Structure formats: C-alpha cells, structure tokens
Amino acid sequence: MGYYSRQISKLIEELSGLPGIGSKSAQRLAFHILNMPLEHVEQLSDAIIDARRNVRYCRQCYTLTDEELCPICSSSQRDQKLIMVVEDTRDLAAYEKTQKYQGVYHVLHGAISPMLGIGPNDIKLKELMQRLQGEVDEVIIATNSSLEGETTAMYISKLIKPTGIKVSRIASGVPVGGDLEYIDEMTLLRALEGRVEL
Ligand code: ZN
C-alpha cells in the first residue's frame, strides 16, 4: 500500500482489521471518512470510544448494556421467571424485534465447542445456574441450531433437569447453522411458540 501516504495507509490498515472488511472495503471506507465533514468524523469516533468505555455486561442477564441492569431485566412489564438462553446479544436483539416475547434473557456469549476448545466454563453458564436458584418457571434454550448450539442446548438441559425447573428448546425450522440474527421474525416466533419440553 506504498502508494498512499502514511496516515491514509494507517486508516486503511485499521479498518481492514474489522470483521467482514476486506482491503477493498477498507479503502472505500477510508476515503468515505476522509470526505466526511470533520464534525461527523468526530461523532463517529466518539461513539466508538464511548461505547467501548461504557458498555459492560448486565449483572443479571449478561447482555451488553451501559447500565448496571439492562432495560429488560429492570422492566416490571417483563416476566422475570421466564428465561430465554441465547448465544449472544445479537440473538437477543432478534427476539426483541418480534416484540412478542415477554420474558427475560440469559446471554451465554458463545457456545460449547470441543473442536474450538470452548468448554462450559468459557461461557456464562455458571452464571445461569446461579440465577436458577431464584424463582424461575421455565428456561427456553434458544441457542443456534448449529452443532455447537445443539451441544450447548443438550448440556444445559442436563444441568437443569435435576432442579425440576421446566426446560424447553425452540422448535427446529430455524435453518441449521443459521445465525438467529438473520432469521425473519415469523420464523423466530414459530420457533418460540413451537418449543418442546426437554
Ligand atoms: Zn439484563
């Protein structure tokens, strides 16, 4: 990239380190940014820095939030005894988009994957089991239908069974290996309503 001046090259290099951004996209973004009014660029960089500095895990459900307790966990409108277990915050957002789910969530931040060396202790599973010591009616496991998601669902259901708490799995019909995030709202609702007790 010797044909760009040092600071432009640096900007392109930083952008191309982001997921899904190849060197062509990085160049396009870099020149877009360079043509933006300085004020907008400052807003963009402030938003990135503020989010990175202030966003943390909700102390109850472990979703990403800028408060100690996320808006869902602190809402009196939500059924705090119904917990849906998802792999990440984007999955939570996908279910929230349907506006039909009235319970709360638990975000695992990953799934068990023996192949990648990710075990039960590498995701927020202990934290889920601690939560279940409170009053809980049902746990809905909504991990992805990938091999890792299914492995995680099976593992969790085995852990919960002895507690006597009802545990269910969202219905299949969610494409195998598909990230929940990319599935349309109707499919998500059908999966949720058609959930089966484990
Ligand atoms: Zn929360």
Side-chain angles (χ1 to χ4, degrees):
M1 233 172 287
Y3 35 88
Y4 292 130
S5 71
R6 194 176 54 81
Q7 292 189 341
I8 298 176
S9 298
K10 173 82 178 140
L11 179 58
I12 293 170
E13 189 191 316
E14 291 296 334
L15 289 168
S16 62
L18 298 171
I21 310 285
S23 82
K24 260 194 179 161
S25 300
Q27 291 181 50
R28 192 168 47 81
L29 285 172
F31 286 104
H32 178 81
I33 291 168
L34 292 172
N35 282 312
M36 277 162 67
L38 184 58
E39 197 192 328
H40 289 180
V41 177
E42 283 169 348
Q43 282 170 8
L44 173 64
S45 77
D46 286 351
I48 294 172
I49 292 168
D50 288 348
R52 179 59 188 87
R53 278 213 181 110
N54 300 320
V55 170
R56 51 185 153 165
Y57 292 143
C58 166
R59 78 173 147 79
Q60 181 166 276
C61 74
Y62 292 86
T63 192
L64 294 168
T65 178
D66 47 18
E67 289 157 287
E68 207 189 323
L69 207 56
C70 76
I72 298 169
C73 287
S74 55
S75 168
S76 59
Q77 312 285 1
R78 309 293 292 242
D79 181 353
Q80 302 283 334
K81 296 180 188 171
L82 180 61
I83 300 177
M84 187 195 291
V85 179
V86 293
E87 289 183 26
D88 62 38
T89 295
R90 289 170 307 166
D91 297 333
L92 177 156
Y95 275 101
E96 280 304 283
K97 246 170 67 191
T98 68
Q99 296 185 316
K100 291 273 160 49
Y101 177 65
Q102 290 304 314
V104 293
Y105 298 90
H106 188 88
V107 182
L108 294 172
H109 293 284
I112 297 169
S113 171
M115 262 178 34
L116 296 173
I118 301 170
N121 290 329
D122 300 316
I123 57 177
K124 302 283 178 205
L125 202 53
K126 275 195 309 283
E127 291 82 353
L128 173 65
M129 296 313 290
Q130 268 158 23
R131 264 180 97 178
L132 298 186
Q133 290 172 6
E135 240 184 288
V136 177
D137 290 337
E138 181 182 353
V139 175
I140 304 169
I141 305 175
T143 50
N144 291 342
S145 54
S146 59
L147 178 63
E148 292 80 14
E150 294 297 350
T151 305
T152 308
M154 232 145 47
Y155 190 90
I156 296 176
S157 82
K158 270 191 197 144
L159 278 183
I160 298 180
K161 273 274 155 153
T163 67
I165 295 169
K166 182 176 171 187
V167 50
S168 58
R169 174 89 173 110
I170 54 167
S172 52
V174 174
V176 172
D179 275 352
L180 289 178
E181 193 197 350
Y182 298 114
I183 293 160
D184 69 84
E185 292 162 34
M186 276 310 295
T187 308
L188 277 185
L189 277 180
R190 270 202 301 270
L192 180 58
E193 277 156 14
R195 66 184 184 269
V196 284
E197 198 169 338
L198 295 173

